[in-house]
């Protein structure tokens, strides 16, 4: 079930990220401004993020066995539209990107689904492994431009649609919910209201907006940043973005595994400190070899590990019957955290001809999140975690 959930997450995220590698191409062919290009790649992010709130609550109600095939099938429609008809104008791309956001809601299905299959002391690693499905964005980065050049604009969209269709059928036939899964008796609105009253919802949301939001922002905007700031070719920029994504993906289960052993607070604090250092170093726009590459790869590893640690924190503190609802809200915050930076970066570059201010702002945000982790979040974990676990600061 963990493998099925991870594969489903990866395929949906692959579809969700199809527009990002093509951003520079659309900018040239449709004569888009920097802000318009940023908006184009950001729209699926914000829709996929906000959609996680109801989808997470619906997963608590109906289970992943129903929701995974449903989300995958719904995403097919927008993928086919973009590939066959919706890529000729900016307005059409925005409409397609809006509905493409459905693919991003798969995350809110997978976390409660996977969490229910594992005991608390193993959830950090399990959810981290599931979270590696965000590597679907790397599939898009490595293949989309090449497929367009080889087979035309429809190529990558048709292939992604076929993968979604196969997965939807397999998931509907093979998936099953964890033993003992019971639908909550409360109405959806009541459960969402109770969720937003939980302290862990807002603590994890703030941290995920920085950790996963930073990952999403770089995964959608890095090709543009590298092409504009370092004059790289579109293919070279997409390949480097794929390297960033793959490292972040690999570190996500590591972050969950470490959280099971030394505690999510320590992992988050270390990750945020590295993001702070990497963003500050990159704000000087150093040469890519080696300083820029080291800065970006350091941030990739830290953002991946930090994302895994946030959901280890959710698994530790959230009530069992509200994991899906909490995941939906936290996931939405993470996606929204990724929506804002591309717009800021595009606006800053358009105004000043430099990305330095945007990267300094990232460093400031990371510093604020680090302070919050070491004060408010550490205090909550210390008081909520049994004494046996406090000695390691972990969940087991």
């Amino acid at each position: 079930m963990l493998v099925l959930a991870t594969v489903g997450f990866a395929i949906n995220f692959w579809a969700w990220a199809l527009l990002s590698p093509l951003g520079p191409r659309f900018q040239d062919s449709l004569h888009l401004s920097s802000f318009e290009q940023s908006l184009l790649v950001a729209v699926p992010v914000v829709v996929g993020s906000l959609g996680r709130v109801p989808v997470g609550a619906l997963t608590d109600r109906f289970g992943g066995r129903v929701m995974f095939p449903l989300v995958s099938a719904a995403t097919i429609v927008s993928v086919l539209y973009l590939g066959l008809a919706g890529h000729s104008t900016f307005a059409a791309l925005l409409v397609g990107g809006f509905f493409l956001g459905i693919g991003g809601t798969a995350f809110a299905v997978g976390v409660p689904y996977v969490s229910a299959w594992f005991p608390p002391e193993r959830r950090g690693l399990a959810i981290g492994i599931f979270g590696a499905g965000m590597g679907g964005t790397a599939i898009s980065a490595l293949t989309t431009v090449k497929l367009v050049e080889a087979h035309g604009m429809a190529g990558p969209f048709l292939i992604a649609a076929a993968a979604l269709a196969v997965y939807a059928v397999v998931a509907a036939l093979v998936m099953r919910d964890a033993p003992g899964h019971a639908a909550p008796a409360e109405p959806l609105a009541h459960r969402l209201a109770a969720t937003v009253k939980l302290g862990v919802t807002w603590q994890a949301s703030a941290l995920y907006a920085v950790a996963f939001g930073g990952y999403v922002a770089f995964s959608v905007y890095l090709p543009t940043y590298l092409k504009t700031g370092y004059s790289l070719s579109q293919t070279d920029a997409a390949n480097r973005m794929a390297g960033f994504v793959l490292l972040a993906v690999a570190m996500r289960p590591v972050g969950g595994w470490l959280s099971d052993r030394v505690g999510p607070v320590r992992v988050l604090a270390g990750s945020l400190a590295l993001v702070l250092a990497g963003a500050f170093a990159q704000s000087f726009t150093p040469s890519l070899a080696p300083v820029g590459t080291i800065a970006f790869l350091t941030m990739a590893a830290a953002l991946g590990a930090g994302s895994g640690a946030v959901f280890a924190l959710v698994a530790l503190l959230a009530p069992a019957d509200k994991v899906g609802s909490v995941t939906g809200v936290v996931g939405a915050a993470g996606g929204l955290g990724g929506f804002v930076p591309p717009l800021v970066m595009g606006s800053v570059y358009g105004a000043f001809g430099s990305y330095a201010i945007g990267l300094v702002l990232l460093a400031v945000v990371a510093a604020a999140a680090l302070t919050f982790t070491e004060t408010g979040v550490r205090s909550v974990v210390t008081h909520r975690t049994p004494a046996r676990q406090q000695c390691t600061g972990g969940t087991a």
Side-chain angles (χ1 to χ4, degrees), residues 31-118:
H31 308 292
L32 305 181
S33 67
S34 294
F35 179 81
E36 286 174 329
Q37 182 190 354
S38 300
L39 182 63
L40 175 63
V41 298
V43 163
V45 174
V46 71
V47 175
S49 303
L50 294 175
R52 291 174 187 177
V53 177
V55 167
L58 288 170
T59 302
D60 281 340
R61 174 69 177 83
F62 296 107
R65 183 179 181 275
V66 171
M67 295 301 296
F68 256 123
L70 184 62
V71 167
S72 301
T75 305
I76 294 173
V77 178
S78 58
V79 171
L80 289 176
Y81 165 76
L82 284 167
L84 298 176
H87 56 261
S88 57
T89 68
F90 179 59
L93 283 168
L94 288 181
V95 171
F98 181 91
F99 290 101
L100 191 66
I102 295 172
T105 67
F107 179 75
V109 179
V111 170
Y113 178 79
V114 170
S115 181
W117 277 99
F118 291 85

Side-chain angles (χ1 to χ4, degrees), residues 143-231:
T143 63
T144 301
V145 173
K146 295 175 182 176
L147 287 171
V148 167
E149 291 173 348
H151 304 290
M153 186 60 68
F157 294 91
L158 292 175
I159 293 172
L164 285 165
V166 171
Y167 176 76
V169 172
V170 171
L173 294 175
V174 179
M175 265 188 158
R176 63 185 189 276
D177 288 311
H181 174 267
E186 295 177 279
L188 175 62
H190 290 176
R191 282 186 286 122
L192 287 176
T195 297
V196 299
K197 293 178 182 177
L198 294 172
V200 64
T201 301
W202 299 109
Q203 292 154 359
S205 292
L207 295 171
Y208 204 57
V210 179
F212 186 71
Y215 161 80
V216 170
F218 279 120
S219 68
V220 301
Y221 199 72
L222 197 54
T224 300
Y225 175 91
L226 293 173
K227 183 174 182 291
T228 304
Y230 288 94
S231 301

Side-chain angles (χ1 to χ4, degrees), residues 335-366:
L336 289 173
F339 172 76
V340 175
L343 299 181
V344 172
M345 295 290 274
S347 299
V348 164
Y349 188 83
F352 302 102
S354 170
Y355 291 113
I357 294 176
L359 287 157
V360 169
L361 289 174
L362 173 59
V364 170
V365 170

Side-chain angles (χ1 to χ4, degrees), residues 188-389:
L188 175 62
H190 290 176
R191 282 186 286 122
L192 287 176
T195 297
V196 299
K197 293 178 182 177
L198 294 172
V200 64
T201 301
W202 299 109
Q203 292 154 359
S205 292
L207 295 171
Y208 204 57
V210 179
F212 186 71
Y215 161 80
V216 170
F218 279 120
S219 68
V220 301
Y221 199 72
L222 197 54
T224 300
Y225 175 91
L226 293 173
K227 183 174 182 291
T228 304
Y230 288 94
S231 301
L232 299 185
S233 68
Q234 183 179 348
T235 300
D236 192 12
N239 288 339
R240 289 173 185 267
M241 185 268 271
F244 181 97
V245 168
L246 289 171
L247 180 56
V249 167
M251 288 302 296
R252 183 154 184 160
V254 174
W257 176 77
L258 285 172
S259 296
D260 285 340
R261 281 150 183 79
V262 303
V265 171
R266 291 179 183 174
V267 177
L268 279 164
S271 298
L272 291 167
L274 289 174
V275 173
L276 168 59
F280 183 74
Q282 188 58 33
S283 69
F284 294 96
T285 317
S287 62
L288 278 180
V291 179
T293 299
I294 293 173
F296 275 117
L297 292 182
T298 297
M299 287 191 286
L303 292 169
S307 297
V310 170
F311 277 95
L313 184 70
V314 170
L316 176 66
L317 299 179
D321 63 342
K322 291 184 174 62
V323 172
S325 299
V326 173
T327 296
V329 176
V330 174
L336 289 173
F339 172 76
V340 175
L343 299 181
V344 172
M345 295 290 274
S347 299
V348 164
Y349 188 83
F352 302 102
S354 170
Y355 291 113
I357 294 176
L359 287 157
V360 169
L361 289 174
L362 173 59
V364 170
V365 170
L370 174 58
T371 302
F372 176 60
T373 299
E374 288 287 17
T375 54
V377 177
R378 182 177 292 279
S379 176
V380 171
V381 171
T382 300
H383 286 90
R384 287 286 301 273
T385 308
R388 178 179 63 85
Q389 297 176 9

